[in-house]
Every structure is written in C-alpha cells, then in structure tokens.
PDB file of all heavy atoms in Angstrom:
ATOM      1  N   LYS B   1     107.100  88.735  88.303  1.00 97.00           N
ATOM      2  CA  LYS B   1     107.603  87.637  89.134  1.00 97.00           C
ATOM      3  C   LYS B   1     108.651  86.898  88.306  1.00 97.00           C
ATOM      4  O   LYS B   1     108.333  86.431  87.198  1.00 97.00           O
ATOM      5  CB  LYS B   1     106.478  86.685  89.539  1.00 97.00           C
ATOM      6  CG  LYS B   1     106.981  85.559  90.433  1.00 97.00           C
ATOM      7  CD  LYS B   1     105.870  84.569  90.774  1.00 97.00           C
ATOM      8  CE  LYS B   1     106.431  83.464  91.657  1.00 97.00           C
ATOM      9  NZ  LYS B   1     105.451  82.395  91.888  1.00 97.00           N
ATOM     10  N   ASP B   2     109.865  86.853  88.832  1.00 93.00           N
ATOM     11  CA  ASP B   2     110.973  86.222  88.112  1.00 93.00           C
ATOM     12  C   ASP B   2     111.094  86.779  86.691  1.00 93.00           C
ATOM     13  O   ASP B   2     111.331  86.031  85.727  1.00 93.00           O
ATOM     14  CB  ASP B   2     110.799  84.694  88.092  1.00 93.00           C
ATOM     15  CG  ASP B   2     110.703  84.116  89.496  1.00 93.00           C
ATOM     16  OD1 ASP B   2     111.383  84.648  90.398  1.00 93.00           O
ATOM     17  OD2 ASP B   2     109.935  83.154  89.696  1.00 93.00           O
ATOM     18  N   GLY B   3     110.875  88.099  86.556  1.00 93.00           N
ATOM     19  CA  GLY B   3     111.066  88.772  85.272  1.00 93.00           C
ATOM     20  C   GLY B   3     109.888  88.755  84.333  1.00 93.00           C
ATOM     21  O   GLY B   3     109.936  89.347  83.251  1.00 93.00           O
ATOM     22  N   ASN B   4     108.785  88.067  84.708  1.00 97.00           N
ATOM     23  CA  ASN B   4     107.590  87.993  83.855  1.00 97.00           C
ATOM     24  C   ASN B   4     106.429  88.752  84.505  1.00 97.00           C
ATOM     25  O   ASN B   4     106.191  88.611  85.709  1.00 97.00           O
ATOM     26  CB  ASN B   4     107.180  86.528  83.643  1.00 97.00           C
ATOM     27  CG  ASN B   4     108.254  85.738  82.916  1.00 97.00           C
ATOM     28  OD1 ASN B   4     108.689  86.120  81.839  1.00 97.00           O
ATOM     29  ND2 ASN B   4     108.686  84.639  83.524  1.00 97.00           N
ATOM     30  N   VAL B   5     105.708  89.522  83.694  1.00 98.00           N
ATOM     31  CA  VAL B   5     104.588  90.306  84.221  1.00 98.00           C
ATOM     32  C   VAL B   5     103.510  89.380  84.789  1.00 98.00           C
ATOM     33  O   VAL B   5     103.148  88.361  84.181  1.00 98.00           O
ATOM     34  CB  VAL B   5     103.992  91.214  83.124  1.00 98.00           C
ATOM     35  CG1 VAL B   5     102.640  91.800  83.557  1.00 98.00           C
ATOM     36  CG2 VAL B   5     104.956  92.352  82.790  1.00 98.00           C
ATOM     37  N   VAL B   6     103.022  89.740  85.967  1.00 98.00           N
ATOM     38  CA  VAL B   6     101.875  89.064  86.584  1.00 98.00           C
ATOM     39  C   VAL B   6     100.863  90.128  87.008  1.00 98.00           C
ATOM     40  O   VAL B   6     101.211  91.303  87.145  1.00 98.00           O
ATOM     41  CB  VAL B   6     102.285  88.211  87.817  1.00 98.00           C
ATOM     42  CG1 VAL B   6     103.180  87.061  87.404  1.00 98.00           C
ATOM     43  CG2 VAL B   6     102.950  89.074  88.881  1.00 98.00           C
ATOM     44  N   SER B   7      99.634  89.715  87.207  1.00 98.00           N
ATOM     45  CA  SER B   7      98.611  90.649  87.662  1.00 98.00           C
ATOM     46  C   SER B   7      98.627  90.746  89.187  1.00 98.00           C
ATOM     47  O   SER B   7      98.497  89.722  89.872  1.00 98.00           O
ATOM     48  CB  SER B   7      97.221  90.173  87.218  1.00 98.00           C
ATOM     49  OG  SER B   7      96.210  90.831  87.981  1.00 98.00           O
ATOM     50  N   PRO B   8      98.752  91.972  89.740  1.00 98.00           N
ATOM     51  CA  PRO B   8      98.687  92.105  91.198  1.00 98.00           C
ATOM     52  C   PRO B   8      97.279  91.886  91.739  1.00 98.00           C
ATOM     53  O   PRO B   8      97.103  91.702  92.940  1.00 98.00           O
ATOM     54  CB  PRO B   8      99.149  93.545  91.440  1.00 98.00           C
ATOM     55  CG  PRO B   8      98.820  94.270  90.177  1.00 98.00           C
ATOM     56  CD  PRO B   8      98.997  93.266  89.070  1.00 98.00           C
ATOM     57  N   PHE B   9      96.290  91.894  90.866  1.00 98.00           N
ATOM     58  CA  PHE B   9      94.893  91.635  91.244  1.00 98.00           C
ATOM     59  C   PHE B   9      94.652  90.120  91.301  1.00 98.00           C
ATOM     60  O   PHE B   9      94.034  89.621  92.251  1.00 98.00           O
ATOM     61  CB  PHE B   9      93.995  92.303  90.208  1.00 98.00           C
ATOM     62  CG  PHE B   9      92.532  92.424  90.552  1.00 98.00           C
ATOM     63  CD1 PHE B   9      91.690  93.122  89.689  1.00 98.00           C
ATOM     64  CD2 PHE B   9      91.974  91.883  91.699  1.00 98.00           C
ATOM     65  CE1 PHE B   9      90.338  93.263  89.966  1.00 98.00           C
ATOM     66  CE2 PHE B   9      90.616  92.016  91.990  1.00 98.00           C
ATOM     67  CZ  PHE B   9      89.799  92.704  91.108  1.00 98.00           C
ATOM     68  N   HIS B  10      95.168  89.377  90.304  1.00 98.00           N
ATOM     69  CA  HIS B  10      94.763  87.978  90.134  1.00 98.00           C
ATOM     70  C   HIS B  10      95.861  86.933  90.335  1.00 98.00           C
ATOM     71  O   HIS B  10      95.556  85.792  90.678  1.00 98.00           O
ATOM     72  CB  HIS B  10      94.185  87.793  88.720  1.00 98.00           C
ATOM     73  CG  HIS B  10      93.103  88.765  88.373  1.00 98.00           C
ATOM     74  ND1 HIS B  10      91.983  88.935  89.164  1.00 98.00           N
ATOM     75  CD2 HIS B  10      92.991  89.635  87.326  1.00 98.00           C
ATOM     76  CE1 HIS B  10      91.204  89.862  88.600  1.00 98.00           C
ATOM     77  NE2 HIS B  10      91.794  90.304  87.512  1.00 98.00           N
ATOM     78  N   ASP B  11      97.126  87.283  90.112  1.00 98.00           N
ATOM     79  CA  ASP B  11      98.185  86.267  90.093  1.00 98.00           C
ATOM     80  C   ASP B  11      98.984  86.157  91.386  1.00 98.00           C
ATOM     81  O   ASP B  11      99.535  85.095  91.670  1.00 98.00           O
ATOM     82  CB  ASP B  11      99.156  86.540  88.941  1.00 98.00           C
ATOM     83  CG  ASP B  11      98.531  86.243  87.578  1.00 98.00           C
ATOM     84  OD1 ASP B  11      97.830  85.233  87.458  1.00 98.00           O
ATOM     85  OD2 ASP B  11      98.752  87.045  86.646  1.00 98.00           O
ATOM     86  N   ILE B  12      99.119  87.238  92.123  1.00 98.00           N
ATOM     87  CA  ILE B  12      99.864  87.173  93.390  1.00 98.00           C
ATOM     88  C   ILE B  12      98.962  86.495  94.417  1.00 98.00           C
ATOM     89  O   ILE B  12      97.798  86.896  94.583  1.00 98.00           O
ATOM     90  CB  ILE B  12     100.290  88.581  93.849  1.00 98.00           C
ATOM     91  CG1 ILE B  12     101.263  89.179  92.833  1.00 98.00           C
ATOM     92  CG2 ILE B  12     100.931  88.533  95.238  1.00 98.00           C
ATOM     93  CD1 ILE B  12     101.613  90.630  93.087  1.00 98.00           C
ATOM     94  N   PRO B  13      99.425  85.480  95.108  1.00 98.00           N
ATOM     95  CA  PRO B  13      98.560  84.801  96.079  1.00 98.00           C
ATOM     96  C   PRO B  13      98.175  85.728  97.232  1.00 98.00           C
ATOM     97  O   PRO B  13      98.992  86.547  97.674  1.00 98.00           O
ATOM     98  CB  PRO B  13      99.417  83.638  96.594  1.00 98.00           C
ATOM     99  CG  PRO B  13     100.586  83.547  95.675  1.00 98.00           C
ATOM    100  CD  PRO B  13     100.774  84.886  95.049  1.00 98.00           C
ATOM    101  N   LEU B  14      96.950  85.600  97.712  1.00 98.00           N
ATOM    102  CA  LEU B  14      96.535  86.348  98.902  1.00 98.00           C
ATOM    103  C   LEU B  14      97.386  85.940 100.096  1.00 98.00           C
ATOM    104  O   LEU B  14      97.849  86.783 100.867  1.00 98.00           O
ATOM    105  CB  LEU B  14      95.054  86.105  99.183  1.00 98.00           C
ATOM    106  CG  LEU B  14      94.513  86.644 100.522  1.00 98.00           C
ATOM    107  CD1 LEU B  14      94.686  88.158 100.628  1.00 98.00           C
ATOM    108  CD2 LEU B  14      93.040  86.258 100.693  1.00 98.00           C
ATOM    109  N   PHE B  15      97.599  84.631 100.235  1.00 98.00           N
ATOM    110  CA  PHE B  15      98.329  84.128 101.402  1.00 98.00           C
ATOM    111  C   PHE B  15      99.787  83.842 101.049  1.00 98.00           C
ATOM    112  O   PHE B  15     100.075  83.089 100.127  1.00 98.00           O
ATOM    113  CB  PHE B  15      97.677  82.848 101.929  1.00 98.00           C
ATOM    114  CG  PHE B  15      96.295  83.066 102.464  1.00 98.00           C
ATOM    115  CD1 PHE B  15      95.173  82.740 101.703  1.00 98.00           C
ATOM    116  CD2 PHE B  15      96.096  83.638 103.712  1.00 98.00           C
ATOM    117  CE1 PHE B  15      93.894  82.962 102.185  1.00 98.00           C
ATOM    118  CE2 PHE B  15      94.821  83.868 104.208  1.00 98.00           C
ATOM    119  CZ  PHE B  15      93.719  83.533 103.441  1.00 98.00           C
ATOM    120  N   ALA B  16     100.690  84.479 101.810  1.00 97.00           N
ATOM    121  CA  ALA B  16     102.118  84.163 101.686  1.00 97.00           C
ATOM    122  C   ALA B  16     102.453  82.930 102.508  1.00 97.00           C
ATOM    123  O   ALA B  16     103.296  82.127 102.126  1.00 97.00           O
ATOM    124  CB  ALA B  16     102.957  85.354 102.148  1.00 97.00           C
ATOM    125  N   ASP B  17     101.778  82.794 103.655  1.00 97.00           N
ATOM    126  CA  ASP B  17     101.993  81.663 104.564  1.00 97.00           C
ATOM    127  C   ASP B  17     100.719  81.545 105.408  1.00 97.00           C
ATOM    128  O   ASP B  17     100.611  82.128 106.472  1.00 97.00           O
ATOM    129  CB  ASP B  17     103.222  81.919 105.441  1.00 97.00           C
ATOM    130  CG  ASP B  17     103.530  80.774 106.394  1.00 97.00           C
ATOM    131  OD1 ASP B  17     102.696  79.854 106.526  1.00 97.00           O
ATOM    132  OD2 ASP B  17     104.598  80.802 107.036  1.00 97.00           O
ATOM    133  N   GLN B  18      99.760  80.791 104.888  1.00 94.00           N
ATOM    134  CA  GLN B  18      98.431  80.751 105.522  1.00 94.00           C
ATOM    135  C   GLN B  18      98.498  80.164 106.931  1.00 94.00           C
ATOM    136  O   GLN B  18      97.788  80.623 107.830  1.00 94.00           O
ATOM    137  CB  GLN B  18      97.462  79.955 104.655  1.00 94.00           C
ATOM    138  CG  GLN B  18      96.005  80.078 105.119  1.00 94.00           C
ATOM    139  CD  GLN B  18      95.013  79.665 104.043  1.00 94.00           C
ATOM    140  OE1 GLN B  18      95.397  79.190 102.978  1.00 94.00           O
ATOM    141  NE2 GLN B  18      93.728  79.852 104.312  1.00 94.00           N
ATOM    142  N   ASN B  19      99.370  79.174 107.142  1.00 95.00           N
ATOM    143  CA  ASN B  19      99.460  78.552 108.467  1.00 95.00           C
ATOM    144  C   ASN B  19      99.874  79.547 109.543  1.00 95.00           C
ATOM    145  O   ASN B  19      99.456  79.440 110.695  1.00 95.00           O
ATOM    146  CB  ASN B  19     100.450  77.379 108.444  1.00 95.00           C
ATOM    147  CG  ASN B  19      99.920  76.198 107.649  1.00 95.00           C
ATOM    148  OD1 ASN B  19      98.699  76.074 107.477  1.00 95.00           O
ATOM    149  ND2 ASN B  19     100.806  75.367 107.143  1.00 95.00           N
ATOM    150  N   ASN B  20     100.727  80.512 109.163  1.00 96.00           N
ATOM    151  CA  ASN B  20     101.182  81.515 110.130  1.00 96.00           C
ATOM    152  C   ASN B  20     100.430  82.841 110.013  1.00 96.00           C
ATOM    153  O   ASN B  20     100.821  83.832 110.638  1.00 96.00           O
ATOM    154  CB  ASN B  20     102.690  81.759 109.957  1.00 96.00           C
ATOM    155  CG  ASN B  20     103.511  80.622 110.554  1.00 96.00           C
ATOM    156  OD1 ASN B  20     103.349  80.270 111.719  1.00 96.00           O
ATOM    157  ND2 ASN B  20     104.382  80.028 109.746  1.00 96.00           N
ATOM    158  N   GLY B  21      99.364  82.847 109.206  1.00 96.00           N
ATOM    159  CA  GLY B  21      98.544  84.055 109.099  1.00 96.00           C
ATOM    160  C   GLY B  21      99.256  85.215 108.422  1.00 96.00           C
ATOM    161  O   GLY B  21      99.013  86.381 108.747  1.00 96.00           O
ATOM    162  N   ILE B  22     100.144  84.914 107.453  1.00 98.00           N
ATOM    163  CA  ILE B  22     100.864  85.966 106.732  1.00 98.00           C
ATOM    164  C   ILE B  22     100.255  86.129 105.344  1.00 98.00           C
ATOM    165  O   ILE B  22     100.110  85.161 104.598  1.00 98.00           O
ATOM    166  CB  ILE B  22     102.368  85.635 106.601  1.00 98.00           C
ATOM    167  CG1 ILE B  22     102.987  85.429 107.986  1.00 98.00           C
ATOM    168  CG2 ILE B  22     103.098  86.738 105.857  1.00 98.00           C
ATOM    169  CD1 ILE B  22     104.426  84.965 107.948  1.00 98.00           C
ATOM    170  N   LEU B  23      99.900  87.372 105.012  1.00 98.00           N
ATOM    171  CA  LEU B  23      99.275  87.681 103.739  1.00 98.00           C
ATOM    172  C   LEU B  23     100.193  88.565 102.907  1.00 98.00           C
ATOM    173  O   LEU B  23     101.048  89.272 103.441  1.00 98.00           O
ATOM    174  CB  LEU B  23      97.933  88.408 103.956  1.00 98.00           C
ATOM    175  CG  LEU B  23      96.741  87.540 104.371  1.00 98.00           C
ATOM    176  CD1 LEU B  23      96.908  86.953 105.761  1.00 98.00           C
ATOM    177  CD2 LEU B  23      95.448  88.347 104.311  1.00 98.00           C
ATOM    178  N   ASN B  24      99.999  88.511 101.593  1.00 98.00           N
ATOM    179  CA  ASN B  24     100.690  89.429 100.695  1.00 98.00           C
ATOM    180  C   ASN B  24      99.864  90.708 100.545  1.00 98.00           C
ATOM    181  O   ASN B  24      98.637  90.651 100.443  1.00 98.00           O
ATOM    182  CB  ASN B  24     100.884  88.803  99.310  1.00 98.00           C
ATOM    183  CG  ASN B  24     101.974  87.770  99.286  1.00 98.00           C
ATOM    184  OD1 ASN B  24     103.070  87.986  99.807  1.00 98.00           O
ATOM    185  ND2 ASN B  24     101.702  86.620  98.676  1.00 98.00           N
ATOM    186  N   MET B  25     100.544  91.836 100.506  1.00 98.00           N
ATOM    187  CA  MET B  25      99.910  93.132 100.281  1.00 98.00           C
ATOM    188  C   MET B  25     100.639  93.832  99.135  1.00 98.00           C
ATOM    189  O   MET B  25     101.865  93.788  99.062  1.00 98.00           O
ATOM    190  CB  MET B  25     100.017  93.982 101.543  1.00 98.00           C
ATOM    191  CG  MET B  25      99.641  95.434 101.351  1.00 98.00           C
ATOM    192  SD  MET B  25     100.423  96.495 102.596  1.00 98.00           S
ATOM    193  CE  MET B  25      99.847  98.106 102.015  1.00 98.00           C
ATOM    194  N   VAL B  26      99.881  94.465  98.257  1.00 98.00           N
ATOM    195  CA  VAL B  26     100.456  95.263  97.173  1.00 98.00           C
ATOM    196  C   VAL B  26     100.445  96.727  97.616  1.00 98.00           C
ATOM    197  O   VAL B  26      99.385  97.291  97.901  1.00 98.00           O
ATOM    198  CB  VAL B  26      99.628  95.116  95.879  1.00 98.00           C
ATOM    199  CG1 VAL B  26     100.272  95.913  94.740  1.00 98.00           C
ATOM    200  CG2 VAL B  26      99.456  93.659  95.499  1.00 98.00           C
ATOM    201  N   VAL B  27     101.626  97.349  97.700  1.00 98.00           N
ATOM    202  CA  VAL B  27     101.691  98.772  98.058  1.00 98.00           C
ATOM    203  C   VAL B  27     101.368  99.598  96.808  1.00 98.00           C
ATOM    204  O   VAL B  27     102.029  99.468  95.774  1.00 98.00           O
ATOM    205  CB  VAL B  27     103.080  99.166  98.603  1.00 98.00           C
ATOM    206  CG1 VAL B  27     103.147 100.669  98.880  1.00 98.00           C
ATOM    207  CG2 VAL B  27     103.411  98.371  99.857  1.00 98.00           C
ATOM    208  N   GLU B  28     100.327 100.421  96.919  1.00 98.00           N
ATOM    209  CA  GLU B  28      99.966 101.335  95.833  1.00 98.00           C
ATOM    210  C   GLU B  28     100.466 102.751  96.123  1.00 98.00           C
ATOM    211  O   GLU B  28     100.958 103.446  95.227  1.00 98.00           O
ATOM    212  CB  GLU B  28      98.445 101.360  95.649  1.00 98.00           C
ATOM    213  CG  GLU B  28      97.862 100.018  95.232  1.00 98.00           C
ATOM    214  CD  GLU B  28      96.347  99.965  95.362  1.00 98.00           C
ATOM    215  OE1 GLU B  28      95.822 100.308  96.461  1.00 98.00           O
ATOM    216  OE2 GLU B  28      95.677  99.608  94.392  1.00 98.00           O
ATOM    217  N   VAL B  29     100.324 103.187  97.383  1.00 98.00           N
ATOM    218  CA  VAL B  29     100.697 104.554  97.763  1.00 98.00           C
ATOM    219  C   VAL B  29     101.647 104.499  98.964  1.00 98.00           C
ATOM    220  O   VAL B  29     101.228 104.132 100.070  1.00 98.00           O
ATOM    221  CB  VAL B  29      99.456 105.394  98.141  1.00 98.00           C
ATOM    222  CG1 VAL B  29      99.866 106.853  98.369  1.00 98.00           C
ATOM    223  CG2 VAL B  29      98.374 105.294  97.078  1.00 98.00           C
ATOM    224  N   PRO B  30     102.914 104.844  98.786  1.00 98.00           N
ATOM    225  CA  PRO B  30     103.835 104.880  99.931  1.00 98.00           C
ATOM    226  C   PRO B  30     103.437 105.989 100.920  1.00 98.00           C
ATOM    227  O   PRO B  30     102.875 107.019 100.520  1.00 98.00           O
ATOM    228  CB  PRO B  30     105.195 105.201  99.291  1.00 98.00           C
ATOM    229  CG  PRO B  30     105.038 104.837  97.845  1.00 98.00           C
ATOM    230  CD  PRO B  30     103.599 105.108  97.510  1.00 98.00           C
ATOM    231  N   ARG B  31     103.728 105.742 102.188  1.00 98.00           N
ATOM    232  CA  ARG B  31     103.434 106.754 103.216  1.00 98.00           C
ATOM    233  C   ARG B  31     104.063 108.095 102.851  1.00 98.00           C
ATOM    234  O   ARG B  31     105.134 108.156 102.261  1.00 98.00           O
ATOM    235  CB  ARG B  31     103.957 106.273 104.563  1.00 98.00           C
ATOM    236  CG  ARG B  31     103.470 107.125 105.731  1.00 98.00           C
ATOM    237  CD  ARG B  31     103.806 106.501 107.072  1.00 98.00           C
ATOM    238  NE  ARG B  31     105.212 106.604 107.393  1.00 98.00           N
ATOM    239  CZ  ARG B  31     105.989 105.592 107.742  1.00 98.00           C
ATOM    240  NH1 ARG B  31     105.520 104.374 107.785  1.00 98.00           N
ATOM    241  NH2 ARG B  31     107.251 105.787 108.040  1.00 98.00           N
ATOM    242  N   TRP B  32     103.374 109.171 103.230  1.00 97.00           N
ATOM    243  CA  TRP B  32     103.790 110.584 103.042  1.00 97.00           C
ATOM    244  C   TRP B  32     103.590 111.082 101.610  1.00 97.00           C
ATOM    245  O   TRP B  32     103.823 112.248 101.340  1.00 97.00           O
ATOM    246  CB  TRP B  32     105.247 110.854 103.438  1.00 97.00           C
ATOM    247  CG  TRP B  32     105.704 110.405 104.784  1.00 97.00           C
ATOM    248  CD1 TRP B  32     106.925 109.891 105.081  1.00 97.00           C
ATOM    249  CD2 TRP B  32     104.999 110.443 106.031  1.00 97.00           C
ATOM    250  NE1 TRP B  32     107.019 109.594 106.419  1.00 97.00           N
ATOM    251  CE2 TRP B  32     105.846 109.915 107.014  1.00 97.00           C
ATOM    252  CE3 TRP B  32     103.713 110.854 106.405  1.00 97.00           C
ATOM    253  CZ2 TRP B  32     105.484 109.785 108.355  1.00 97.00           C
ATOM    254  CZ3 TRP B  32     103.327 110.726 107.731  1.00 97.00           C
ATOM    255  CH2 TRP B  32     104.207 110.202 108.692  1.00 97.00           C
ATOM    256  N   THR B  33     103.196 110.231 100.675  1.00 98.00           N
ATOM    257  CA  THR B  33     103.007 110.710  99.305  1.00 98.00           C
ATOM    258  C   THR B  33     101.539 111.033  99.049  1.00 98.00           C
ATOM    259  O   THR B  33     100.653 110.619  99.805  1.00 98.00           O
ATOM    260  CB  THR B  33     103.518 109.688  98.270  1.00 98.00           C
ATOM    261  OG1 THR B  33     102.760 108.482  98.380  1.00 98.00           O
ATOM    262  CG2 THR B  33     104.996 109.388  98.503  1.00 98.00           C
ATOM    263  N   ASN B  34     101.265 111.765  97.970  1.00 98.00           N
ATOM    264  CA  ASN B  34      99.926 112.272  97.693  1.00 98.00           C
ATOM    265  C   ASN B  34      99.280 111.701  96.431  1.00 98.00           C
ATOM    266  O   ASN B  34      98.062 111.769  96.282  1.00 98.00           O
ATOM    267  CB  ASN B  34      99.959 113.807  97.541  1.00 98.00           C
ATOM    268  CG  ASN B  34     100.404 114.514  98.795  1.00 98.00           C
ATOM    269  OD1 ASN B  34     101.584 114.501  99.147  1.00 98.00           O
ATOM    270  ND2 ASN B  34      99.482 115.141  99.499  1.00 98.00           N
ATOM    271  N   ALA B  35     100.097 111.186  95.505  1.00 98.00           N
ATOM    272  CA  ALA B  35      99.540 110.684  94.245  1.00 98.00           C
ATOM    273  C   ALA B  35      98.645 109.481  94.515  1.00 98.00           C
ATOM    274  O   ALA B  35      99.071 108.514  95.140  1.00 98.00           O
ATOM    275  CB  ALA B  35     100.666 110.308  93.285  1.00 98.00           C
ATOM    276  N   LYS B  36      97.401 109.547  94.020  1.00 98.00           N
ATOM    277  CA  LYS B  36      96.442 108.467  94.282  1.00 98.00           C
ATOM    278  C   LYS B  36      96.672 107.341  93.265  1.00 98.00           C
ATOM    279  O   LYS B  36      96.029 107.276  92.228  1.00 98.00           O
ATOM    280  CB  LYS B  36      95.011 108.984  94.225  1.00 98.00           C
ATOM    281  CG  LYS B  36      94.031 107.969  94.819  1.00 98.00           C
ATOM    282  CD  LYS B  36      92.655 108.523  94.988  1.00 98.00           C
ATOM    283  CE  LYS B  36      91.785 107.590  95.835  1.00 98.00           C
ATOM    284  NZ  LYS B  36      91.912 106.163  95.538  1.00 98.00           N
ATOM    285  N   MET B  37      97.652 106.510  93.585  1.00 98.00           N
ATOM    286  CA  MET B  37      97.994 105.365  92.740  1.00 98.00           C
ATOM    287  C   MET B  37      97.093 104.184  93.105  1.00 98.00           C
ATOM    288  O   MET B  37      96.790 103.968  94.282  1.00 98.00           O
ATOM    289  CB  MET B  37      99.455 104.973  92.944  1.00 98.00           C
ATOM    290  CG  MET B  37     100.461 106.092  92.728  1.00 98.00           C
ATOM    291  SD  MET B  37     100.532 106.666  91.028  1.00 98.00           S
ATOM    292  CE  MET B  37     101.237 105.242  90.197  1.00 98.00           C
ATOM    293  N   GLU B  38      96.671 103.428  92.074  1.00 98.00           N
ATOM    294  CA  GLU B  38      95.819 102.267  92.360  1.00 98.00           C
ATOM    295  C   GLU B  38      95.932 101.231  91.260  1.00 98.00           C
ATOM    296  O   GLU B  38      96.257 101.565  90.107  1.00 98.00           O
ATOM    297  CB  GLU B  38      94.367 102.702  92.560  1.00 98.00           C
ATOM    298  CG  GLU B  38      93.761 103.459  91.405  1.00 98.00           C
ATOM    299  CD  GLU B  38      92.362 103.978  91.719  1.00 98.00           C
ATOM    300  OE1 GLU B  38      92.043 104.194  92.893  1.00 98.00           O
ATOM    301  OE2 GLU B  38      91.599 104.171  90.764  1.00 98.00           O
TER     302      GLU B  38
END
C-alpha cells in the first residue's frame, strides 16, 4: 500500500465502503488459471 508491504490477511480492511455494502477482496487465483495460489 503506497509502496509499503502490508498483510492481505490483517492490514487490508474488510470493508471498502461499509455504508454501501462494498468489501475488499484479495484475488489469489485469476479465472482460467490452475496454480493453487493462496
């Protein structure tokens, strides 16, 4: 975030905009790919 490492488990907020029901999601595996990234 802004060039500094953050934890996608602990530092990225769950809610991007709680009032509008928008959440943040971390993409681990792009569609059509097979590598089990996590």
Side-chain angles (χ1 to χ4, degrees):
K1 181 183 180 187
D2 303 325
N4 297 305
V5 167
V6 295
S7 163
F9 193 175
H10 308 306
D11 289 319
I12 296 173
L14 171 60
F15 295 101
D17 181 350
Q18 190 162 5
N19 290 337
N20 284 306
I22 303 174
L23 282 67
N24 285 313
M25 169 204 177
V26 182
V27 176
E28 297 167 308
V29 187
R31 191 170 73 233
W32 309 143
T33 63
N34 298 74
K36 194 171 191 318
M37 305 294 292
E38 57 186 26

